[in-house]
């Protein structure tokens, strides 16, 4: 309530000061009433509207648009000193002026709001990065102590160690997501073989997969390669496989295929899970977002796909979703491809 009152007082002050400025400018212009063209008056009045909008907000700017419209008509549209209009074309002049003034006030308000949101997001990401960094040290200590307790035969130590590992991973994801947004994530792109990424990803998810079938294949050339950061790419592919395992039926295989299309190297992960409801195809890549049909899982914070897309884009790549024919999901990681024959000849 207090904020609303403060905004109201600020808007009122802006209207009063703007009206005073408008009156002063009008007094000066009236002396040259017959010499001034409509364009000169319109530009000066638009400047007043923009100044008031920039300083006191959209409402004050829109009120000033109305006042400037009336002053324009009364003092500078014949017959003077009346709101009547002799030339029908002057209606067009006034209508265009009013529409331009209102649009300018609205656009300026939107630009200021977007700028404020970007700044708030930047500060939030910087704060999250700092907090996440500071949390890692005590988590490491907790994990070490819990490990010692577990070795003494206390099962509670094992539980604490597992939970600390999960929390550490969450903090790492938060830290990397914040670094991505503020441009602080280190990327070391180099020529890497697709086979190496596939093998490492399968090893990483082996414990989660258990006896689940994962069908992996590299299509086309004997050795596909791309220019990317191996660690970041491995993280993305492993994340996609983990999601596919989580949401697929136990009797349905998860598929990982790698192929080249033009100058792009594609890692395609397909499953037979429920897929995404219409309209959630892009929302699923937002931080902390979980689909409406998501399997209840308190261990999932909804950061995986947001981080995966960020890691793809920072390597000049992309990550997209498509429904799978017959049911399920298809996630495609696209990265710059490299022709190994050309690369070796250059070397």
């Amino acid at each position: 309530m207090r904020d609303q009152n403060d905004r109201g007082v600020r808007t009122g002050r802006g209207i009063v000061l703007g009206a005073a400025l408008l009156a002063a400018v009008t007094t000066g212009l009236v002396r040259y009433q017959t010499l001034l063209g409509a364009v000169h008056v319109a530009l000066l009045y638009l400047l007043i509207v923009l100044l008031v909008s920039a300083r006191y907000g959209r409402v004050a700017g829109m009120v000033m648009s109305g006042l400037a419209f009336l002053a324009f008509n009364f003092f500078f549209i014949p017959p003077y000193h009346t709101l009547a209009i002799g030339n029908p074309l002057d209606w067009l002049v006034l209508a265009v002026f009013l529409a331009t003034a209102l649009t300018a006030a609205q656009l300026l308000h939107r630009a200021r709001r977007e700028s404020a949101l970007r700044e708030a997001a930047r500060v939030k990401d910087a704060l999250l990065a700092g907090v996440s960094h500071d949390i890692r040290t005590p988590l490491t200590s907790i994990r070490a102590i819990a490990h010692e307790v577990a070795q003494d035969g206390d099962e509670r130590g094992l539980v604490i160690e597992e939970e600390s590992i999960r929390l550490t991973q969450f903090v790492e994801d938060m830290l990397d997501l914040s670094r991505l947004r503020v441009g602080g994530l280190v990327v070391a792109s180099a020529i890497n073989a697709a086979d190496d990424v596939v093998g490492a990803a399968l090893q990483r998810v082996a414990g989660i997969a258990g006896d689940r079938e994962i069908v992996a294949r590299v299509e086309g050339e004997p050795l596909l390669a791309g220019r990317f950061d191996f660690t970041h790419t491995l993280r993305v592919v492993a994340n996609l496989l983990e999601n596919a395992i989580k949401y697929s039926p136990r009797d349905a295989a998860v598929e990982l295929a790698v192929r080249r299309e033009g100058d792009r190297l594609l890692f395609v992960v397909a499953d037979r899970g429920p897929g995404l409801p219409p309209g959630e195809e892009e929302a699923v890549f937002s931080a902390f977002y979980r689909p409406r049909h998501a399997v209840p899982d308190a261990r999932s914070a909804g950061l995986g796909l947001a981080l995966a897309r960020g890691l793809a884009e920072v390597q000049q790549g992309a990550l997209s979703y498509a429904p799978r024919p017959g049911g399920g999901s298809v996630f495609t990681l696209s990265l710059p491809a490299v022709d190994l024959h050309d690369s070796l000849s250059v070397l």
Side-chain angles (χ1 to χ4, degrees), residues 145 207 228 340:
I145 295 172
F228 51 81
L340 282 181

Side-chain angles (χ1 to χ4, degrees), residues 68-84:
F69 171 83
L70 295 174
F72 195 176
N73 186 3
F74 190 82
F75 291 105
F76 301 102
I77 298 295
Y80 300 128
H81 306 133
T82 175
L83 295 178

Side-chain angles (χ1 to χ4, degrees), residues 103-119:
T103 302
Q106 178 67 23
L107 290 177
L108 185 59
H109 168 76
R110 184 178 301 173
R112 291 181 64 200
R113 182 178 181 183
E114 290 177 354
S115 177
L117 289 174
R118 286 195 298 270
E119 178 62 19

